[in-house]
Amino acid sequence: MKTHDLVTLLATGVGAVEPGASSRRYTTALGWGAFGATLLMAVLLGVRPDIGAAARLPMFWIKLVFPACVAVASLVAASRLSRPGAQLGPVSVALVAPVLAVWLLTAYVLLAAPPPERAELVMGRTWEYCLFSVPMLSVPVLVATLWAIQGLAPTRLALAGAAAGLLAGAIGALVYALHCTEMEAPFLGVWYVAGMLIPAAAGALLGPIVLRW
């Protein structure tokens, strides 16, 4: 929507968004979206059988904290992009910081590993499942988040859709981590990031279609 169109629409008597509407819509969307993603994981994939032992390893928690940080930053970004004229500002740094941190850890692990082992550290044993499963688990969150944004007042539709998709991908990766047995940083730095970017790209394409108002 162009600025002129927005001004005209506001001038024709469209009511303001109710106070707290954004928080309520996002709370509802994330609650149902995360529930749907978790249910899909439990039914189709299942929780890793050794999760108790894995939870004693630092890398297990890094694998959870990484997408959780991306999810928090993308939630703030989506919330801001739901309002006309809002700027991302430092949120852009918060979106990139977790990825850069994992990439730095990835570089450290790869440089420390013998060259013949580096490809296996990146590819793991389940890269194709990760690349499919993370976007699949993100679908309920993406649908719910687009619903939340659509009921507000986004003007940068593609960017808002991308933020919704990244939020969905991050939650999908967080839920998938409860199933995934891969524990190496290079695997996370490549396939978890790719898995989160797929729904972000889908959101950017869907935004101008489903968020128009």
Side-chain angles (χ1 to χ4, degrees), residues 10-11 21 28 60 76 93 131 140-141 149 165 203:
L10 293 176
T28 301
F60 176 82
V76 176
V93 177
L131 198 58
V141 187
I149 297 175

Side-chain angles (χ1 to χ4, degrees), residues 37-62:
T38 304
L39 184 63
L40 278 178
M41 184 274 294
V43 172
L44 299 180
L45 303 175
V47 177
R48 59 183 295 177
D50 64 338
I51 193 168
R56 294 194 287 269
L57 301 174
M59 198 61 208
F60 176 82
W61 295 104
I62 292 175

Side-chain angles (χ1 to χ4, degrees), residues 84-109:
Q87 300 297 319
L88 289 179
V91 179
S92 301
V93 177
L95 286 169
V96 175
V99 178
L100 290 180
V102 168
W103 282 352
L104 286 173
L105 182 58
T106 294
Y108 172 79
V109 171

Side-chain angles (χ1 to χ4, degrees), residues 1-12 14 155 212-213:
M1 177 176 288
K2 297 180 180 179
T3 303
H4 174 74
D5 297 331
L6 174 62
V7 173
T8 302
L9 184 59
L10 293 176
T12 55
V14 176
T155 55
R212 188 178 300 276
W213 55 283

Side-chain angles (χ1 to χ4, degrees), residues 175-199:
V175 172
Y176 179 69
L178 301 176
H179 163 80
C180 177
T181 58
E182 305 284 357
M183 299 287 279
E184 299 294 344
F187 187 91
L188 302 182
V190 174
W191 303 113
Y192 272 52
V193 171
M196 290 188 284
L197 289 178
I198 291 173

